[in-house]
Amino acid sequence: MNSYKHISVNPIAGALGAEVAGVHLGQIRDEAFNELQAAFVEHSVLFFRDQEITRDQHKAFARRFGTLQIHPYLQPLKDQGHPEFVVLQSDEQHPYLAEAWHSDVTFVNEPPLGSVLRCVVAPEFGGDTMWASMYAAYEALSDKMQRMLSDLVAIHDTARTFSRTNYKTEHIGAKPAPEVLSSEHPVVRTHPESGRKGLFVNTTFTASIKGMKPAESTALLGFLYRHMETPDFSCRFRWRPNSVAMWDNRCTQHRVVADNRTANRRMERITINGDKPY
Ligand SMILES: [Fe+2]
């Protein structure tokens, strides 16, 4: 474990996730930021409480990690001068988004490095978010399975999500049923900063494993998805207004805990561009 002098970093689970105290994301000094970057690589998901920040401060913080992504389909705050924001709104009329485990936007050639998600309205209870470490999931496999996966490539696309005709995202600014986007990525990717390997297929965007018969691909992906759900690889975060979570999209997956379904819940997300997985 790294030691930190300018911030305090407290892990919340064994596999990933740490709560960071002693920083305000709107005014963060270089010494603290350098430690934050190290903590991000070490813990994969960082949590911050009581971050009363403006949208501009939210963007400026994320921009220190890289350029910002404009989502190919979701730009609900474009008219307000913030095309970079994705809004996750759920309430009595609108179901939770992201009820299945996934990494974000893996249907493009260069999926995001990560995201910074701020809670604007929290449910009184429920609506937590879970993350899972894809390092932990990979490392728990046998040598033989790791070797078999090592040269496999998966196809990711939007056929079952954004491009589906009844995918209900109009209320958060998506156009109905746009064209299908698709991309290919290794099933096991190497993190460019930590050098660690992690699984990189997900239930939401991965369509199949290239070169396998459909039944083989379905069986192998089904096994990996069940394996990834092992609670030991996960952490869980309870939201309050102005709580912020920042996750590494290259080595984690996440999903909402879709309980308390009628509660009003609003999250605003900024996403940082990543590079081509290898
Ligand atoms: Fe997501």
PDB file of all heavy atoms in Angstrom, residues 208-209 212-223:
ATOM      1  N   SER A 208     -20.154 -10.931 -28.585  1.00  0.00           N
ATOM      2  CA  SER A 208     -19.673 -12.303 -28.774  1.00  0.00           C
ATOM      3  C   SER A 208     -18.150 -12.316 -28.758  1.00  0.00           C
ATOM      4  O   SER A 208     -17.510 -11.263 -28.815  1.00  0.00           O
ATOM      5  CB  SER A 208     -20.162 -12.858 -30.116  1.00  0.00           C
ATOM      6  OG  SER A 208     -19.639 -12.065 -31.166  1.00  0.00           O
ATOM      7  N   ILE A 209     -17.610 -13.521 -28.705  1.00  0.00           N
ATOM      8  CA  ILE A 209     -16.160 -13.688 -28.827  1.00  0.00           C
ATOM      9  C   ILE A 209     -15.862 -14.056 -30.271  1.00  0.00           C
ATOM     10  O   ILE A 209     -16.458 -14.984 -30.837  1.00  0.00           O
ATOM     11  CB  ILE A 209     -15.638 -14.731 -27.835  1.00  0.00           C
ATOM     12  CG1 ILE A 209     -15.876 -14.182 -26.415  1.00  0.00           C
ATOM     13  CG2 ILE A 209     -14.158 -15.011 -28.071  1.00  0.00           C
ATOM     14  CD1 ILE A 209     -15.447 -15.081 -25.309  1.00  0.00           C
ATOM     15  N   MET A 212     -15.443 -17.693 -32.414  1.00  0.00           N
ATOM     16  CA  MET A 212     -16.046 -18.839 -31.727  1.00  0.00           C
ATOM     17  C   MET A 212     -17.433 -19.089 -32.287  1.00  0.00           C
ATOM     18  O   MET A 212     -18.098 -18.177 -32.771  1.00  0.00           O
ATOM     19  CB  MET A 212     -16.169 -18.554 -30.220  1.00  0.00           C
ATOM     20  CG  MET A 212     -14.899 -18.790 -29.466  1.00  0.00           C
ATOM     21  SD  MET A 212     -15.233 -18.820 -27.681  1.00  0.00           S
ATOM     22  CE  MET A 212     -13.676 -19.479 -27.103  1.00  0.00           C
ATOM     23  N   LYS A 213     -17.889 -20.344 -32.187  1.00  0.00           N
ATOM     24  CA  LYS A 213     -19.270 -20.639 -32.542  1.00  0.00           C
ATOM     25  C   LYS A 213     -20.177 -19.969 -31.507  1.00  0.00           C
ATOM     26  O   LYS A 213     -19.781 -19.834 -30.334  1.00  0.00           O
ATOM     27  CB  LYS A 213     -19.485 -22.152 -32.552  1.00  0.00           C
ATOM     28  CG  LYS A 213     -18.701 -22.817 -33.667  1.00  0.00           C
ATOM     29  CD  LYS A 213     -18.986 -24.281 -33.765  1.00  0.00           C
ATOM     30  CE  LYS A 213     -18.328 -24.822 -35.026  1.00  0.00           C
ATOM     31  NZ  LYS A 213     -18.445 -26.272 -35.119  1.00  0.00           N
ATOM     32  N   PRO A 214     -21.391 -19.565 -31.929  1.00  0.00           N
ATOM     33  CA  PRO A 214     -22.277 -18.856 -30.989  1.00  0.00           C
ATOM     34  C   PRO A 214     -22.461 -19.581 -29.660  1.00  0.00           C
ATOM     35  O   PRO A 214     -22.412 -18.946 -28.593  1.00  0.00           O
ATOM     36  CB  PRO A 214     -23.599 -18.748 -31.754  1.00  0.00           C
ATOM     37  CG  PRO A 214     -23.199 -18.779 -33.198  1.00  0.00           C
ATOM     38  CD  PRO A 214     -21.983 -19.651 -33.279  1.00  0.00           C
ATOM     39  N   ALA A 215     -22.627 -20.894 -29.701  1.00  0.00           N
ATOM     40  CA  ALA A 215     -22.858 -21.627 -28.443  1.00  0.00           C
ATOM     41  C   ALA A 215     -21.617 -21.579 -27.547  1.00  0.00           C
ATOM     42  O   ALA A 215     -21.721 -21.488 -26.321  1.00  0.00           O
ATOM     43  CB  ALA A 215     -23.248 -23.072 -28.738  1.00  0.00           C
ATOM     44  N   GLU A 216     -20.421 -21.619 -28.155  1.00  0.00           N
ATOM     45  CA  GLU A 216     -19.174 -21.549 -27.373  1.00  0.00           C
ATOM     46  C   GLU A 216     -19.022 -20.174 -26.747  1.00  0.00           C
ATOM     47  O   GLU A 216     -18.700 -20.025 -25.561  1.00  0.00           O
ATOM     48  CB  GLU A 216     -17.977 -21.818 -28.303  1.00  0.00           C
ATOM     49  CG  GLU A 216     -17.943 -23.207 -28.899  1.00  0.00           C
ATOM     50  CD  GLU A 216     -16.909 -23.345 -30.017  1.00  0.00           C
ATOM     51  OE1 GLU A 216     -16.452 -22.326 -30.572  1.00  0.00           O
ATOM     52  OE2 GLU A 216     -16.580 -24.490 -30.347  1.00  0.00           O
ATOM     53  N   SER A 217     -19.257 -19.163 -27.558  1.00  0.00           N
ATOM     54  CA  SER A 217     -19.130 -17.786 -27.085  1.00  0.00           C
ATOM     55  C   SER A 217     -20.110 -17.517 -25.942  1.00  0.00           C
ATOM     56  O   SER A 217     -19.731 -16.967 -24.896  1.00  0.00           O
ATOM     57  CB  SER A 217     -19.385 -16.842 -28.268  1.00  0.00           C
ATOM     58  OG  SER A 217     -19.509 -15.528 -27.825  1.00  0.00           O
ATOM     59  N   THR A 218     -21.357 -17.928 -26.121  1.00  0.00           N
ATOM     60  CA  THR A 218     -22.385 -17.696 -25.091  1.00  0.00           C
ATOM     61  C   THR A 218     -22.011 -18.403 -23.792  1.00  0.00           C
ATOM     62  O   THR A 218     -22.143 -17.838 -22.705  1.00  0.00           O
ATOM     63  CB  THR A 218     -23.755 -18.202 -25.594  1.00  0.00           C
ATOM     64  OG1 THR A 218     -24.041 -17.532 -26.818  1.00  0.00           O
ATOM     65  CG2 THR A 218     -24.865 -17.921 -24.593  1.00  0.00           C
ATOM     66  N   ALA A 219     -21.522 -19.643 -23.909  1.00  0.00           N
ATOM     67  CA  ALA A 219     -21.173 -20.405 -22.701  1.00  0.00           C
ATOM     68  C   ALA A 219     -19.982 -19.775 -21.979  1.00  0.00           C
ATOM     69  O   ALA A 219     -19.993 -19.609 -20.756  1.00  0.00           O
ATOM     70  CB  ALA A 219     -20.864 -21.853 -23.074  1.00  0.00           C
ATOM     71  N   LEU A 220     -18.961 -19.390 -22.737  1.00  0.00           N
ATOM     72  CA  LEU A 220     -17.767 -18.833 -22.100  1.00  0.00           C
ATOM     73  C   LEU A 220     -18.072 -17.464 -21.478  1.00  0.00           C
ATOM     74  O   LEU A 220     -17.694 -17.186 -20.332  1.00  0.00           O
ATOM     75  CB  LEU A 220     -16.626 -18.715 -23.126  1.00  0.00           C
ATOM     76  CG  LEU A 220     -15.310 -18.172 -22.586  1.00  0.00           C
ATOM     77  CD1 LEU A 220     -14.818 -18.978 -21.382  1.00  0.00           C
ATOM     78  CD2 LEU A 220     -14.238 -18.166 -23.679  1.00  0.00           C
ATOM     79  N   LEU A 221     -18.782 -16.611 -22.207  1.00  0.00           N
ATOM     80  CA  LEU A 221     -19.138 -15.299 -21.650  1.00  0.00           C
ATOM     81  C   LEU A 221     -20.029 -15.469 -20.422  1.00  0.00           C
ATOM     82  O   LEU A 221     -19.854 -14.778 -19.418  1.00  0.00           O
ATOM     83  CB  LEU A 221     -19.841 -14.432 -22.702  1.00  0.00           C
ATOM     84  CG  LEU A 221     -18.935 -13.896 -23.820  1.00  0.00           C
ATOM     85  CD1 LEU A 221     -19.777 -13.212 -24.906  1.00  0.00           C
ATOM     86  CD2 LEU A 221     -17.884 -12.921 -23.275  1.00  0.00           C
ATOM     87  N   GLY A 222     -20.968 -16.419 -20.492  1.00  0.00           N
ATOM     88  CA  GLY A 222     -21.863 -16.667 -19.357  1.00  0.00           C
ATOM     89  C   GLY A 222     -21.073 -17.059 -18.117  1.00  0.00           C
ATOM     90  O   GLY A 222     -21.332 -16.571 -17.012  1.00  0.00           O
ATOM     91  N   PHE A 223     -20.071 -17.908 -18.303  1.00  0.00           N
ATOM     92  CA  PHE A 223     -19.220 -18.296 -17.173  1.00  0.00           C
ATOM     93  C   PHE A 223     -18.488 -17.068 -16.615  1.00  0.00           C
ATOM     94  O   PHE A 223     -18.455 -16.835 -15.403  1.00  0.00           O
ATOM     95  CB  PHE A 223     -18.196 -19.368 -17.587  1.00  0.00           C
ATOM     96  CG  PHE A 223     -17.058 -19.433 -16.624  1.00  0.00           C
ATOM     97  CD1 PHE A 223     -17.239 -19.986 -15.363  1.00  0.00           C
ATOM     98  CD2 PHE A 223     -15.816 -18.872 -16.943  1.00  0.00           C
ATOM     99  CE1 PHE A 223     -16.210 -19.987 -14.427  1.00  0.00           C
ATOM    100  CE2 PHE A 223     -14.782 -18.865 -16.013  1.00  0.00           C
ATOM    101  CZ  PHE A 223     -14.981 -19.429 -14.755  1.00  0.00           C
TER     102      PHE A 223
END
